[in-house]
Amino acid sequence: VNGKVFALGRTRAVAASDISDGALLAACATGDRAALGALFDRHHEHVYRFLARLRLRDPRDLEDLLQATFLEAQRRAPRFRRRSSVRTWLMAVAANLARYHIRAEAGRRVAMERMGVAPGPIPDAPLEVTERRQDSRRLMAALAALDDRLRVPFVLCDLEGVSGEQVARSLGLRMGALWRRLHQARKLLRRALEGEA
Amino acid sequence: MWSMPRIGGCPDERSLSRAFSRGAEGALARHLESCPRCQGQWQVLERLRSACRQLPIPPLSAEAAERIRFALVNHSTQRIRRAEGWRRPLLVLCAAGLSGGGQLDQAAALFRNAVADGVTEVERSAVAGLAEVIRRANARVPEGR
């Protein structure tokens, strides 16, 4: 088994591409690492892009969080209830980890500042070096400044194109709360884009 | 779902924002065609979404993806990006501080070299903070103690 082909019972083997996301996740729940690899192959680009869009301060943390997301997904796999797609569920797992990461980072930063230790510079991401337009910077800053409760639904719905129903289910929100948060996020970002913030 | 227009025949901002998530269809699509004001608001939302989608994203290299995949499939629960060699210099740094700070500068330099490529900014700050705490604590200890 190299992550591409799985034994199914004793009678036949199937290609990873023939297995549904739900079946792969169920296999992950039993400790099947090849299934975890196949799940990673299928979804890591989307999960990575989602994490990057949450505007984490240090781009190098993205790789850590990507790995942590799939490890956590395997741990939580037995509790997957099929209330959303596996991809949306993975992004919700990633959002949770990112939330803890951002809070911890903010806490450490405050502690460092209290001790009078200035944080070191953040290395530029390659694209940020070439793209310095004012609008982008303003928008990135506004997105990074959004509260998690607003940013995660906004990124999932508006940027990743996940349906409101799926987002609400995966984040455990009522639809009304989701629409309110989306509206609030858009309002704040719009102000930033128009240069009011 | 967007329902009948409100006062003045136009949905309020919140209703329009809510409808935006589903896309313009039916009565709303017809209303947008005939109402420049709502059409303008709709286009602002579209511009915002488009601008956010175009924000730069640091690329994930194929090599990094492969390393992560390898770690996942091979039971490694350790964070794979970390440079392996940074923990030992950190211990040296701590030991230097606890022993009175005499070798602190050398130990700090050793640590900095070891971690040049392998730690996050937060970790670097944490270690810088630790070094500073040790330095200050040692500065308060009278000679001969």
Side-chain angles (χ1 to χ4, degrees):
Chain A
V1 175
N2 62 3
K4 305 294 182 192
V5 178
F6 297 87
L8 195 68
R10 292 181 180 178
T11 53
R12 64 191 178 103
V14 291
S17 56
D18 293 336
I19 301 177
S20 71
D21 282 348
L24 277 179
L25 200 58
C28 286
T30 67
D32 185 336
R33 290 284 178 148
L36 185 63
L39 205 64
F40 179 83
D41 290 341
R42 207 174 278 183
H43 298 292
H44 79 269
E45 285 177 3
H46 284 88
V47 174
Y48 178 82
R49 191 181 62 194
F50 168 70
L51 283 167
R53 281 177 161 163
L54 291 179
R55 295 289 139 202
L56 299 177
R57 193 161 182 271
D58 189 337
R60 290 169 301 186
D61 287 340
L62 289 172
E63 291 176 20
D64 272 356
L65 281 169
L66 181 63
Q67 184 189 7
T69 296
F70 282 88
L71 285 173
E72 183 67 9
Q74 183 174 42
R75 202 176 68 80
R76 291 196 204 173
R79 284 180 276 159
F80 178 64
R81 294 287 174 264
R82 297 176 187 267
R83 292 192 298 181
S84 63
S85 72
V86 169
R87 179 172 292 171
T88 304
W89 180 78
L90 282 170
M91 289 197 274
V93 171
N96 252 332
L97 293 173
R99 185 181 303 139
Y100 287 122
H101 172 84
I102 289 167
R103 280 184 195 161
E105 188 185 12
R108 285 191 203 106
R109 194 167 298 281
V110 168
M112 290 299 112
E113 283 166 6
R114 280 185 186 152
M115 287 196 299
V117 180
I122 298 291
D124 280 322
L127 280 169
E128 286 172 341
V129 175
T130 54
E131 184 154 355
R132 293 289 190 188
R133 287 187 304 132
Q134 189 77 10
D135 283 358
S136 293
R137 282 216 301 269
R138 257 200 320 251
L139 204 51
M140 279 194 282
L143 200 49
L146 276 187
D147 189 287
D148 274 340
R149 293 178 318 129
L150 306 181
R151 181 170 46 211
V152 170
F154 174 79
V155 172
L156 281 171
C157 282
D158 280 21
L159 307 191
E160 295 299 326
V162 182
S163 75
E165 287 77 9
Q166 282 216 32
V167 171
R169 278 199 292 267
S170 63
L171 298 180
L173 293 173
R174 291 175 186 275
M175 288 304 292
L178 176 71
W179 299 135
R180 276 195 297 279
R181 290 182 188 190
L182 278 175
H183 176 58
Q184 184 68 12
R186 287 170 186 151
K187 204 159 75 174
L188 291 170
L189 292 172
R190 204 177 66 200
R191 281 184 194 158
L193 193 61
E194 290 164 355
E196 294 172 23
Chain B
M1 195 67 157
W2 189 74
S3 55
M4 289 299 290
R6 304 245 178 131
I7 300 166
C10 294
D12 62 22
E13 194 185 333
R14 183 173 289 190
S15 304
L16 205 62
S17 174
R18 177 175 170 167
F20 182 72
S21 299
R22 296 172 180 274
E25 51 190 25
L28 176 61
R30 287 193 295 278
H31 177 75
L32 288 177
E33 278 174 17
S34 63
C35 177
R37 179 177 162 274
C38 290
Q39 199 177 57
Q41 286 190 7
W42 192 267
Q43 284 169 351
V44 167
L45 290 172
E46 284 180 334
R47 274 203 300 276
L48 174 66
R49 181 168 62 187
S50 167
C52 285
R53 282 183 176 169
Q54 287 170 16
L55 286 176
I57 290 175
L60 175 69
S61 68
E63 185 224 345
E66 190 50 45
R67 267 189 290 124
I68 294 169
R69 190 188 191 287
F70 182 84
L72 289 170
V73 173
N74 291 282
H75 296 257
S76 170
T77 55
Q78 291 195 336
R79 293 180 168 193
I80 43 81
R81 182 179 50 73
R82 298 282 186 266
E84 282 303 310
W86 71 274
R87 290 183 183 85
R88 188 178 173 83
L90 176 60
L91 289 175
V92 175
L93 177 64
C94 292
L98 293 172
S99 66
Q103 304 295 313
L104 189 59
D105 287 340
Q106 293 94 317
L110 177 67
F111 181 81
R112 274 197 300 275
N113 292 337
V115 302
D117 297 322
V119 296
T120 65
E121 181 268 339
V122 170
E123 288 164 344
R124 194 173 294 121
S125 295
V127 171
L130 174 65
E132 188 61 25
V133 167
I134 293 170
R135 197 185 305 280
R136 288 180 190 180
N138 286 329
R140 287 194 206 106
V141 177
E143 286 295 326
R145 286 191 63 183

